[in-house]
Amino acid sequence: MLSDKLGIYLNDHLAGSTFGIELARRIAHQHRHSVRGAELERIAEEIDQDRQSLLDIMEALGVPTRRYKIYGGWAAERLGRLKPNGVLYRRSGLSTVVELETLRLGVEGKTLIWRLLLVLAPGEAHLDEVQLRGLLSRARDQIDTLEELRLTAAATVFSTEVRLP
């Protein structure tokens, strides 16, 4: 293992990825019948694969997983569901916008870990630069898709009605 600090850093990102995969799955499930449902499902699957890649990297580096951080990420996603959305008993379009923004921010964070590991890769035999570049490229594609979805949802939620005189 490179250092204890790297172990803490990787486990923190593991907690974030746990939050992210739970959120991605929920968004994909809620929009499974929409026009963009397949894209959301693909992103959820990729985020799950990326989380597994992180776990594999941690194992290769000899970094033990801290279960309490995994549970913390899971609990944080559940608590995030309690935020007010302007509607009492059902989801609102605002929920979709906020959830897509949150997921996009998580994927942005994921790019940071892949970039950091790329910096460390030349000095660490257990880090595969080709794999890390692929993970970074996929995260950037996810960001582009999530941004498009977010802007589409925002345009729907925040559009004003045209009133004729």
Side-chain angles (χ1 to χ4, degrees):
M1 183 173 75
L2 295 172
S3 76
D4 290 339
K5 290 178 185 170
L6 182 61
I8 293 167
Y9 179 79
L10 294 175
N11 271 287
D12 287 350
H13 275 275
L14 180 59
S17 72
T18 301
F19 179 99
I21 187 55
E22 293 297 321
L23 178 59
R25 285 176 181 155
R26 184 163 51 85
I27 293 170
H29 178 75
Q30 289 167 341
H31 298 279
R32 66 189 175 280
H33 299 298
S34 74
V35 175
R36 307 297 288 271
E39 284 178 286
L40 290 164
E41 181 61 34
R42 176 188 54 83
I43 288 174
E45 288 173 16
E46 289 177 358
I47 290 172
D48 191 32
Q49 292 166 7
D50 295 343
R51 184 178 182 278
Q52 185 57 54
S53 294
L54 176 57
L55 285 165
D56 294 344
I57 289 167
M58 290 172 68
E59 183 177 342
L61 293 173
V63 174
T65 58
R66 302 293 180 216
R67 297 259 178 234
Y68 69 92
K69 289 195 178 190
I70 294 171
Y71 298 138
W74 180 87
E77 192 280 329
R78 294 299 188 279
L79 289 171
R81 296 178 186 193
L82 300 176
K83 69 187 171 310
N85 63 7
V87 178
L88 193 55
Y89 295 111
R90 59 180 165 71
R91 289 181 50 78
S92 78
L94 184 57
S95 296
T96 299
V97 173
V98 171
E99 289 168 353
L100 289 168
E101 286 182 354
T102 302
L103 190 56
R104 181 177 179 220
L105 288 169
V107 175
E108 292 276 359
K110 184 171 51 174
T111 68
L112 300 176
I113 191 172
W114 303 143
R115 291 176 67 196
L116 181 133
L117 292 174
L118 273 167
V119 169
L120 300 177
E124 178 52 56
H126 293 98
L127 293 174
D128 180 349
E129 288 185 55
V130 173
Q131 176 197 25
L132 292 169
R133 288 187 196 290
L135 290 166
L136 180 59
S137 176
R138 181 160 70 179
R140 289 178 176 150
D141 289 343
Q142 291 166 1
I143 290 167
D144 291 343
T145 301
L146 289 168
E147 180 62 4
E148 184 181 325
L149 292 168
R150 183 186 77 85
L151 291 175
T152 300
T156 301
V157 171
F158 299 116
S159 66
T160 58
E161 288 185 23
V162 176
R163 295 180 187 213
L164 299 175

